[in-house]
Amino acid sequence: MATRRIPLVLLACGSFNPITNQHMRLFELARDHMHSTGQYQVVGGIVSPVSDGYGKQGLVLAQHRIAMAKLALQSSDWVTVDEWESQQADWTETAVTMRYHYGRILKEYERSTGEHKDSSGNPSPLSSPCPQLKLLCGADFLDTFQVPDLWLDDHVEEVAGHFGLICVSRGGLHPEQAVAASDTLSRHSHNIFLVREWVRNETSATEVRRALRRGLSVKYLIPDSVIEYIHQHNLYTEDSERRNKGTVLRPLAKQATQPGKSLDD
């Protein structure tokens, strides 16, 4: 009898400043890879832009980043944009954002499967495998786990061990080295899925913003609907790039005030 596949939701956190075709491509690559394992059935994807409290230079307001992401993903029938993280007054740790989304996923799962308790008060077995949530990221994200004062140690353990990661690499990046360099990541290497993108796509949001500031074309790098939105709202100018200049990234400032510091986002 064939084993039933585990329902899986992919969560991508980040600035999405602006969202690019490459951001969306990560979801497609990750879904193909996870299906190829024979263990998982990807049932959804979530784009979760950071809040304005992140403090990164050149970060335009969350309302614009959310609007652009929604326009870009109109063509997707399985990836959606979630506003919860972007609406928080302060920057939210990745582990906290994952807890929030997984809580929602479990509630929906319990509702749809009609979970109930037996006469002893214990949850009765559900008819389908419990869904999982994994963090989707570019392979360079793994290097952030080695940045001093960026992640809390227990958050690294939670993200890598409890949830898991799907890291898409391109170009000369070697994510397996980042895994080997971390005791925590090495311990949970079975829960870290490394995906190689063979069709090269080096588009970055930083380069897109630079081109826009210089009045250069970004067609085919980001969706036409997003380009139109950017022009309508006069985003990504010399002035907008100076936003938050000289500000310490909120993860660094926040973690520095907490015991057991380490890294996040």
Side-chain angles (χ1 to χ4, degrees):
M1 180 177 173
T3 303
R4 300 190 68 175
R5 293 189 178 223
I6 300 169
L8 177 63
V9 177
L10 312 179
L11 172 68
C13 299
S15 299
F16 300 102
N17 188 39
I19 192 168
T20 69
N21 290 340
Q22 174 63 13
H23 286 135
M24 296 181 288
R25 182 72 184 141
L26 294 182
F27 281 92
E28 299 295 323
L29 292 163
R31 181 170 66 166
D32 284 346
H33 179 83
M34 298 309 285
H35 285 176
S36 74
T37 67
Q39 296 178 273
Y40 298 94
Q41 179 66 41
V42 175
V43 295
I46 303 169
V47 167
S48 178
V50 297
S51 74
D52 295 335
Y54 185 49
K56 187 174 183 179
Q57 182 171 340
L59 187 68
V60 303
L61 293 176
Q63 67 186 68
H64 293 308
R65 292 180 285 112
I66 288 288
M68 289 186 286
K70 286 183 175 180
L71 286 170
L73 288 164
Q74 283 180 338
S75 62
S76 177
D77 61 359
W78 67 282
V79 184
T80 60
V81 182
D82 189 272
E83 301 183 29
W84 179 82
E85 183 182 357
S86 70
Q87 293 176 341
Q88 305 308 302
D90 196 1
W91 164 79
T92 306
E93 293 91 338
T94 301
V96 174
T97 299
M98 296 193 77
R99 287 177 214 154
Y100 166 78
H101 285 291
Y102 192 53
R104 289 183 58 190
I105 291 167
L106 283 183
K107 283 183 180 178
E108 173 59 25
Y109 168 67
E110 292 167 1
R111 184 197 64 77
S112 64
T113 54
E115 178 186 27
H116 62 280
K117 299 187 182 217
D118 60 24
S119 57
S120 302
N122 299 314
S124 61
L126 295 171
S127 57
S128 59
C130 189
Q132 292 186 14
L133 174 72
K134 295 190 184 300
L135 184 66
L136 172 62
C137 59
D140 51 351
F141 179 87
L142 293 181
D143 294 330
T144 66
F145 289 107
Q146 300 300 315
V147 178
D149 300 332
L150 190 53
W151 285 85
L152 294 173
D153 291 338
D154 58 342
H155 283 187
V156 180
E157 181 73 29
E158 183 175 3
V159 171
H162 177 64
F163 291 111
L165 299 115
I166 305 171
C167 304
V168 181
S169 63
R170 60 185 188 271
L173 295 173
H174 299 287
E176 60 278 0
Q177 295 178 0
V179 174
S182 166
D183 290 341
T184 302
L185 296 185
S186 294
R187 188 166 62 253
H188 298 297
S189 59
H190 64 282
N191 208 20
I192 300 174
F193 298 84
L194 304 180
V195 184
R196 172 63 65 174
E197 181 181 16
W198 296 110
V199 180
R200 297 285 290 275
N201 185 339
E202 304 295 337
T203 304
S204 77
T206 300
E207 292 165 347
V208 168
R209 293 198 305 275
R210 182 181 300 121
L212 288 165
R213 290 198 308 274
R214 295 174 181 176
L216 302 176
S217 171
V218 292
K219 191 174 181 66
Y220 307 121
L221 298 178
I222 59 179
D224 288 346
S225 57
V226 175
I227 295 175
E228 182 179 355
Y229 184 94
I230 289 170
H231 290 325
Q232 284 178 346
H233 295 272
N234 195 32
L235 303 180
Y236 304 120
T237 62
E238 293 291 346
D239 286 341
S240 72
E241 193 61 24
R242 285 192 286 269
R243 178 181 168 86
N244 294 325
K245 186 175 182 180
T247 301
V248 176
L249 274 183
R250 185 56 180 150
L252 293 172
K254 189 173 184 179
Q255 309 300 40
T257 65
Q258 300 181 15
K261 353 173 205 181
S262 241
L263 171 160
D264 224 324
D265 205 40

